[in-house]
Each structure stands twice: as C-alpha cells, then as structure tokens.
Amino acid sequence: MTNTALRESAFPDAVITEAIRWTEEKGPLDDAQAMRAASSRTADVHARITARALQLGERIGLQPELARARQWGPWVLLGLVALVVAAGLGLAGNVVGGGERHINVIVALVSLLGIHLLTLLLWLAGLWLPLASFNTSSLGWVWLSLTARVAGGKRGQAPVLVRAATGLLTRARLLPWAFGLVSHGIWALSFSVVLAALLFALAFRSYTLSWETTILDPAFFVRAVQALGWAPAQLGFPVPDAATVLSATPNAAAQRTWALWLTGCIVVYGLLPRVALVLLSAVVWCRRRAALHPDWSDAYYRKLTARFAALAPPAIVDADPGRAPGIAPAGLAPSELLDTLFVIGFELPSDMAWPPAGLPAAQVQRIDGSAPSRRALLDQLALARPRAVLLVCHAASSPDRGTERFLREVLAHCGECRLWPAEDVNSVQNDSAVGAAKRWIDWLQGTGLERVAATHRLDDALQQLGAAP
C-alpha cells in the first residue's frame, strides 16, 4: 500500500483479494452471484478468484475505501514531510540560533544525527529479524497508518486493507523496503533542508565552534574527531588536526575547518546513507514486485479453486468422433430369392392403424422393436428369402442405431428393401410427410444405406418394388 505500489494496477486487486480472505475468516460471504459471474468471465482460476473478490469487495465497500486511501496518501505524505522538515529546521535552529553564537560541535552532531542513526539501525535490524516492531517504528509505517485512519476512520475497512497490504509485502519480502522507500526519502529531504539552513547560517553569520567536557580526556576528542572525519575526508572535507582540536582559541581558519568538518559529517553520515537506501529500496522494489500476489497454495484459495471446478461444465476428455458410415450388406443372389413381399411395420405408435389399405398379396408383420420380436422376424425372413421388403416406420420418429442395425440385418435376408416413413398409414400424405421422408433419406445416406430408398408415398414404394396393387 505504499505510494509506488498503489500505482501498480495488479497490486490493488491483490490487496482486495487478500482483504476478502481476511474478512471471510469471520464467516463466508454470500457469493453465489459473484461465483457465477467470475466463472463466466475467464477460464483462469486465479483470475476467477480475483474477479470474485473484486465483486465482493465492491459490495462491502473495500474499493471505495482503497480509492480514498490512494487519494489521501500523497497529502498525508506531504504533511509528514512538512512535519519532519520543520523538525529538522528546529534542530538546525537550535544548533546555530543561540544568542551567543557558540556551537558545541559534538552536541550539534549528536542532535542532528542521533534519531536518524537510531531509526536507521532499527530498519537494518528489520531486514534480518522477523520483529514487527522494527518495521512499525519507521516513517513508512507512520504514513501508512495515518493514511488508513484519514481515509477510513475507525469504523471503516482500513484495518483489513492494511493487514492485507502488509501481508502481501511481507510474503514478497518487500515490507521493509517499501516502508524504507518512504522513510529514507523523508529523511533524505529533511537532511537536505537542514544542510541548506546550516550552510546559510554559517556562510552569513559568525560562529565559534568548539567542544566542551567535564569528565572526558581531551585526547578522546582528538581521536573521535579524527575517526569521524576520515570518511568525509575522502570526499574532500577538511579534518581538524590535534592542535586545532586542543586549541582554546581557534583562529578564523580553524573555525572554517570545524564548520566544514561538521557539514561533512552530516553529509556522509546523514544525507548520503539515506539517498543510497532510497535508490536501493527502489531497485529491490522493481525486482520483487512481481511476487505481490496472494499465496494461491493457501487452503482458502484451494477451496475456492475446487468450488470453481465444481461450477464448470463437465469436460469431454475423449469425444466420440462418430462412426464412419458402414457398407450396406449384399443381398441374396437372385437364384436364392422367392417371389414374396414382406411388409413390416417397425416401432409404429400403438394408435396407428395397421395394416395399410391397398396392399397387394404380402406377408404383413408388425413388431415393437424389442430384441425378441426382431429375432423372430429375422428368422422368418431367413426362411422366406423374400424378393422385396417394405419397411414402414413412423415419420415423426428419429432413426437411431437400433433402426440401422435392424435394416442391415433385413438387407442380408432379402433382395430389395424400401422404406416408407408414414404419418398415418391410411391418410393422404402432406408436406410434412415429404419433409420427414427427406430426413430419413439423409439419414440413410449418412449411415451408408443408400441401397434402401425412401419415399413418402406407399404406391411409389410398391411400384419401385414391382409390387403395385
């Protein structure tokens, strides 16, 4: 939830997702509609979980509160910067604002660097030790807490949003770096203002810089000044020698050396570490921000994954490619046939009249399509070896594999076969009968039974079989 993080489009979604998880620890939310909507949007389960959380978050007010936090965050940060800068100016004023214009350089150095060094050590400890108090002592945590309080108040959703954001940052090993980006930036700005005020005062006013002690040995100050001045000396800042440190009344050149030594220590031990850590925090943030997402292996998210899987329609793993059209069996040889006509009613409705009027001399049968009736009829055909068979089916019925198998078995025991899809065996066939016949013809061609011709008129079928009445 840092200022940089809030500009990343994925991070707010992850915060809302985690916030919903923490919210549902107190009890599940009514998410039936959110589950269906998320399931219809995408096939990716992580995107579905996020979409569900966003819908639930909108319903309970998480997104508006997060938007208020993003709106107030820069203003709270600006106020915190102003406060810290004012404190830095106060410290600088205490150092150079005395009426006697006398500066104790050691006291000034401790005043300007003391709190900075303490907070810096706590931040460094927070990188290695899993102690929350180290991170909560930074200016970054103060900024986050103030932003949450201003945006949401005591009764808003700020606590759960803060918990979600810090949890994501902790999991990505970014929490101290995110807080450090804010904290180090504020400190760097504060030191810049302090140095500007200090240099302005030293440049245009006359001060006496020295040190004082009651119980310490003067040699201690000589060693301390030399040790503290080593690093600034690498950048060109002068270091007072032993004579200057021990001199009771330093001349103007010595005062200038003391002033530059004090300025160098503030630059090297105050400003530069904070600037370097700002840059380092930014680099770490850029490298690790891809890990700012929920822990999808958590039991809560595994349960949601299973729920989404249950909502999905069953997948066809091995779809039936369909059966290739078969080859119609060859009929009996003409020498084996007897001059007989079989008219078979196959799976006709019980209320349909049978047999049809106007049939020539023929063997008339009607079967219900059961296995015993089929077998009995096929046995009769095997004995009769008819020259022609007319199969009468109900036009409105849909042909199936059972019909196909029966037709193939009939073709093996006869010479010719015709199919008459009838709506009513004793009525005039209309346009619907023509359409039904077309459907049966297409089915015969699709199953490889082109040998069986279909027609919607009984007399046409009989004429084709050479058995007109």
Side-chain angles (χ1 to χ4, degrees):
M1 204 174 187
T2 63
N3 194 32
T4 305
L6 286 175
R7 291 196 296 267
E8 301 294 333
S9 60
F11 186 63
D13 291 350
V15 171
I16 297 297
T17 304
E18 279 289 281
I20 290 295
R21 180 173 76 89
W22 290 117
T23 300
E24 290 195 302
E25 280 197 341
K26 301 177 181 179
L29 299 173
D30 181 10
D31 63 348
Q33 181 179 358
M35 289 285 292
R36 289 192 298 269
S39 183
S40 64
R41 287 184 179 180
T42 177
D44 181 71
V45 66
H46 297 165
R48 286 179 173 181
I49 294 174
T50 301
R52 168 190 176 272
L54 292 177
Q55 292 193 48
L56 295 178
E58 193 70 39
R59 193 174 73 194
I60 65 177
L62 291 179
Q63 278 92 325
E65 188 148 332
L66 186 59
R68 287 195 300 271
R70 298 176 68 177
Q71 181 180 2
W72 278 101
W75 295 103
V76 174
L77 182 62
L78 185 61
L80 192 58
V81 168
L83 183 63
V84 173
V85 168
L89 289 174
L91 287 175
N94 290 334
V95 171
V96 298
E100 299 179 359
R101 296 188 181 180
H102 177 80
I103 300 176
N104 187 324
V105 291
I106 303 299
V107 173
L109 196 60
V110 172
S111 299
L112 294 173
L113 299 179
I115 298 178
H116 146 74
L117 291 175
L118 177 62
T119 56
L120 183 58
L121 290 174
L122 290 176
W123 182 82
L124 292 173
L127 293 177
W128 306 103
L129 301 177
L131 296 179
S133 59
F134 290 154
N135 289 319
T136 57
S137 62
S138 70
L139 291 175
W141 175 261
V142 173
W143 170 73
L144 179 64
S145 301
L146 289 176
T147 301
R149 177 62 60 89
V150 172
K154 295 182 178 180
R155 297 183 180 180
Q157 301 283 1
V160 70
L161 288 172
V162 170
R163 186 178 184 184
T166 55
L168 288 169
L169 292 170
T170 300
R171 180 176 177 273
R173 297 183 296 123
L174 272 173
L175 185 62
W177 299 101
F179 287 166
L181 196 59
V182 177
S183 180
H184 300 319
I186 294 176
W187 275 108
L189 182 59
S190 175
F191 275 120
S192 299
V193 174
V194 167
L195 281 169
L198 184 62
L199 288 174
F200 181 85
L202 292 175
F204 298 102
R205 302 184 71 178
S206 176
Y207 292 91
T208 301
L209 287 79
S210 63
W211 54 270
E212 298 175 350
T213 183
T214 302
I215 61 174
L216 296 178
D217 183 22
F220 167 79
F221 288 96
V222 174
R223 293 191 296 271
V225 169
Q226 295 292 328
L228 291 173
W230 180 86
Q234 308 308 308
L235 298 179
F237 290 96
V239 180
D241 55 18
T244 301
V245 174
L246 297 175
S247 174
T249 57
N251 55 27
Q255 293 295 333
R256 182 177 180 275
T257 301
W258 274 117
L260 292 176
W261 175 86
L262 178 61
T263 303
C265 287
I266 296 173
V267 170
V268 172
Y269 301 117
L271 177 63
L272 293 183
R274 293 294 183 171
V275 171
L277 289 173
V278 167
L279 298 177
L280 179 60
S281 297
V283 170
V284 174
W285 172 268
C286 292
R287 290 186 175 182
R288 296 183 183 175
R289 63 182 177 180
L292 284 171
H293 56 75
D295 182 9
W296 303 118
S297 63
D298 186 83
Y300 170 82
Y301 294 115
R302 292 202 307 270
K303 182 179 178 181
L304 285 178
T305 300
R307 290 181 61 196
F308 276 116
L311 288 177
I316 300 176
V317 178
D318 187 14
D320 184 4
R323 186 174 59 177
I327 300 175
L332 297 176
S335 60
E336 298 176 315
L337 298 175
L338 299 178
D339 191 15
T340 307
L341 170 65
F342 264 71
V343 179
I344 304 170
F346 182 73
E347 294 184 343
L348 298 176
S350 59
D351 59 349
M352 181 179 288
W354 185 260
L359 286 178
Q363 292 284 339
V364 180
Q365 302 286 340
R366 179 173 181 170
I367 64 173
D368 59 7
S370 63
S373 64
R374 292 187 188 189
R375 177 50 52 197
L377 177 61
L378 291 172
D379 290 343
Q380 291 185 40
L381 292 175
L383 293 174
R385 292 173 289 159
R387 178 184 59 81
V389 172
L390 175 62
L391 189 68
V392 183
C393 297
H394 188 220
S397 299
S398 297
D400 55 17
R401 291 184 179 182
T403 307
E404 179 188 351
R405 285 194 299 269
F406 180 69
L407 264 175
R408 291 182 180 277
E409 291 172 332
V410 170
L411 287 174
H413 297 297
C414 69
E416 291 185 81
C417 181
R418 295 293 181 270
L419 188 143
W420 176 37
E423 289 189 338
D424 188 336
V425 296
N426 291 322
S427 65
V428 178
Q429 304 301 303
N430 52 25
D431 292 341
S432 63
V434 176
K438 179 64 168 58
R439 180 166 55 87
W440 280 83
I441 291 173
D442 293 341
W443 172 76
L444 289 171
Q445 293 177 347
T447 54
L449 293 173
E450 298 91 343
R451 178 183 162 192
V452 180
T455 178
H456 68 286
R457 294 173 57 88
L458 174 60
D459 53 352
D460 289 345
L462 294 174
Q463 186 176 5
Q464 292 173 8
L465 292 173

